[in-house]
Amino acid sequence: MSRSFFRKTAFALAISFTPALCVAQDVFGTLTATIDGAERTWFLTSDNGQSQSHGLTISVANMQSFNLWGQPTEDTIAETKDSLLLGFGVMTVGGNTIPLNASLTYLADGWASGWLANEEEQTVLTLTTLEEVEGGLLVEGRFASTTHYSDNLVSSQVDPSQAKQIDGHFSATLPEALLKDQ
């Protein structure tokens, strides 16, 4: 047996006994919406406490802010293309929760182009559940958005002549690692 053959065989055996590296991706919720007559689901994901989605509590003002970034697959964590972003605030007054400043963005082609509803009255949000649960915060609701096309979502400039209705619902148990206090 040649030395080269022995080295190659030993190397191949060593690789075959090496454990495969696995990514522990967590799905903690979904955004489901109807776009162009088709219902789709996007996934709220995290990996080791890192996520594009998060919640922020401003204790002094009795307010909370949420950004739910729906990924196109359960395996992605920071994809921009074909992602759905829902942002909103919640104010608690006398035991009542009032949704505020809801916005919706569909990143059809990443930040290059898509559909945006970031003006007051363009997105109607109904919050059905907001409660602390073991390990996080459960937030659920429905939304209806009149979005407008943009060929540069970063600029927030839209074409008012191109409108698209996007309606849906969401359910997420935001893990404690994604909840911040201010």
Side-chain angles (χ1 to χ4, degrees), residues 22 28 39 43 59 69 77 79 89 95-96 105 153 165 169 180 182:
C22 296
F28 59 87
E39 185 176 88
F43 302 91
S59 300
W69 188 311
I77 189 168
E79 179 63 46
N96 295 319
T105 307
L153 288 167
Q165 188 67 30
H169 56 91
K180 307 295 179 208
Q182 186 177 43

Short mmCIF file of all heavy atoms in Angstrom, two decimals, residues 22 28 39 43 59 69 77 79 89 95-96 105 153 165 169 180 182:
data_model
loop_
_atom_site.label_atom_id
_atom_site.label_comp_id
_atom_site.label_asym_id
_atom_site.label_seq_id
_atom_site.Cartn_x
_atom_site.Cartn_y
_atom_site.Cartn_z
N CYS A 22 -24.76 21.48 12.75
CA CYS A 22 -26.18 21.73 12.57
C CYS A 22 -26.52 23.11 13.13
O CYS A 22 -26.01 23.50 14.16
CB CYS A 22 -27.02 20.69 13.30
SG CYS A 22 -26.79 19.04 12.65
N PHE A 28 -40.77 30.88 16.07
CA PHE A 28 -41.59 31.26 17.22
C PHE A 28 -42.90 31.92 16.82
O PHE A 28 -43.65 32.39 17.67
CB PHE A 28 -40.81 32.15 18.19
CG PHE A 28 -40.30 33.42 17.58
CD1 PHE A 28 -41.09 34.56 17.54
CD2 PHE A 28 -39.02 33.49 17.05
CE1 PHE A 28 -40.63 35.73 16.97
CE2 PHE A 28 -38.54 34.65 16.49
CZ PHE A 28 -39.34 35.78 16.45
N GLU A 39 -52.96 32.93 -0.52
CA GLU A 39 -52.57 33.00 0.89
C GLU A 39 -51.21 32.36 1.07
O GLU A 39 -50.94 31.29 0.53
CB GLU A 39 -53.60 32.28 1.76
CG GLU A 39 -53.29 32.45 3.25
CD GLU A 39 -54.33 31.83 4.14
OE1 GLU A 39 -54.20 30.63 4.44
OE2 GLU A 39 -55.28 32.55 4.50
N PHE A 43 -42.38 33.01 8.23
CA PHE A 43 -42.00 32.47 9.53
C PHE A 43 -41.17 33.46 10.32
O PHE A 43 -40.27 34.11 9.78
CB PHE A 43 -41.20 31.17 9.32
CG PHE A 43 -41.99 30.15 8.55
CD1 PHE A 43 -41.91 30.09 7.16
CD2 PHE A 43 -42.86 29.29 9.20
CE1 PHE A 43 -42.66 29.18 6.43
CE2 PHE A 43 -43.61 28.37 8.48
CZ PHE A 43 -43.51 28.31 7.11
N SER A 59 -41.56 51.41 29.61
CA SER A 59 -42.35 51.36 30.84
C SER A 59 -42.95 52.69 31.23
O SER A 59 -44.10 52.76 31.67
CB SER A 59 -41.50 50.82 31.99
OG SER A 59 -41.04 49.53 31.69
N TRP A 69 -40.67 40.25 11.58
CA TRP A 69 -40.05 40.10 10.26
C TRP A 69 -40.28 38.67 9.81
O TRP A 69 -39.62 37.74 10.26
CB TRP A 69 -38.57 40.40 10.36
CG TRP A 69 -37.85 40.46 9.06
CD1 TRP A 69 -37.88 39.55 8.04
CD2 TRP A 69 -36.96 41.49 8.63
NE1 TRP A 69 -37.06 39.94 7.01
CE2 TRP A 69 -36.49 41.14 7.36
CE3 TRP A 69 -36.51 42.67 9.21
CZ2 TRP A 69 -35.59 41.91 6.65
CZ3 TRP A 69 -35.62 43.45 8.50
CH2 TRP A 69 -35.17 43.08 7.23
N ILE A 77 -33.08 33.36 8.55
CA ILE A 77 -33.17 34.24 9.71
C ILE A 77 -33.01 35.71 9.32
O ILE A 77 -33.53 36.58 10.00
CB ILE A 77 -32.12 33.86 10.78
CG1 ILE A 77 -32.36 34.64 12.07
CG2 ILE A 77 -30.72 34.06 10.28
CD1 ILE A 77 -31.59 34.15 13.24
N GLU A 79 -33.24 36.94 5.78
CA GLU A 79 -33.50 37.08 4.35
C GLU A 79 -34.28 38.35 4.10
O GLU A 79 -35.19 38.68 4.84
CB GLU A 79 -34.30 35.87 3.85
CG GLU A 79 -34.65 35.91 2.38
CD GLU A 79 -33.44 35.90 1.47
OE1 GLU A 79 -32.53 35.08 1.70
OE2 GLU A 79 -33.40 36.73 0.55
N GLY A 89 -47.13 49.57 17.33
CA GLY A 89 -46.98 49.88 18.74
C GLY A 89 -48.27 49.56 19.45
O GLY A 89 -49.33 49.42 18.84
N GLY A 95 -56.09 49.35 31.40
CA GLY A 95 -56.34 47.94 31.12
C GLY A 95 -56.69 47.64 29.67
O GLY A 95 -56.82 46.48 29.28
N ASN A 96 -56.87 48.67 28.86
CA ASN A 96 -57.17 48.49 27.44
C ASN A 96 -55.89 48.63 26.62
O ASN A 96 -55.07 49.50 26.89
CB ASN A 96 -58.19 49.52 26.95
CG ASN A 96 -59.53 49.34 27.63
OD1 ASN A 96 -59.99 48.23 27.82
ND2 ASN A 96 -60.15 50.45 28.01
N THR A 105 -44.64 46.09 5.21
CA THR A 105 -43.74 46.15 4.06
C THR A 105 -43.56 44.75 3.51
O THR A 105 -43.25 43.82 4.25
CB THR A 105 -42.36 46.71 4.46
OG1 THR A 105 -42.53 47.95 5.13
CG2 THR A 105 -41.47 46.90 3.24
N LEU A 153 -37.46 50.90 -1.60
CA LEU A 153 -38.11 50.88 -0.29
C LEU A 153 -37.34 51.65 0.78
O LEU A 153 -37.94 52.18 1.71
CB LEU A 153 -38.33 49.44 0.16
CG LEU A 153 -39.43 48.70 -0.59
CD1 LEU A 153 -39.37 47.21 -0.31
CD2 LEU A 153 -40.79 49.26 -0.23
N GLN A 165 -53.78 45.39 -2.03
CA GLN A 165 -54.34 45.09 -0.71
C GLN A 165 -53.66 43.83 -0.17
O GLN A 165 -53.56 42.83 -0.87
CB GLN A 165 -55.85 44.87 -0.80
CG GLN A 165 -56.54 44.73 0.52
CD GLN A 165 -56.51 46.02 1.35
OE1 GLN A 165 -56.50 47.13 0.81
NE2 GLN A 165 -56.50 45.86 2.65
N HIS A 169 -53.07 37.74 9.17
CA HIS A 169 -53.08 37.59 10.62
C HIS A 169 -51.70 37.12 11.08
O HIS A 169 -50.88 36.66 10.27
CB HIS A 169 -54.18 36.62 11.07
CG HIS A 169 -54.10 35.26 10.44
ND1 HIS A 169 -53.42 34.22 10.99
CD2 HIS A 169 -54.63 34.80 9.28
CE1 HIS A 169 -53.53 33.16 10.20
NE2 HIS A 169 -54.26 33.48 9.15
N LYS A 180 -36.95 43.61 24.91
CA LYS A 180 -36.08 44.58 25.58
C LYS A 180 -36.92 45.60 26.33
O LYS A 180 -38.04 45.90 25.95
CB LYS A 180 -35.19 45.30 24.55
CG LYS A 180 -34.40 44.40 23.65
CD LYS A 180 -33.38 43.60 24.42
CE LYS A 180 -32.62 42.68 23.48
NZ LYS A 180 -32.13 41.51 24.08
N GLN A 182 -36.92 49.61 27.99
CA GLN A 182 -36.25 50.90 27.89
C GLN A 182 -36.79 51.82 28.94
O GLN A 182 -37.94 51.85 29.26
CB GLN A 182 -36.45 51.48 26.50
CG GLN A 182 -35.67 52.73 26.27
CD GLN A 182 -35.85 53.22 24.84
OE1 GLN A 182 -36.93 53.22 24.31
NE2 GLN A 182 -34.76 53.62 24.24
#
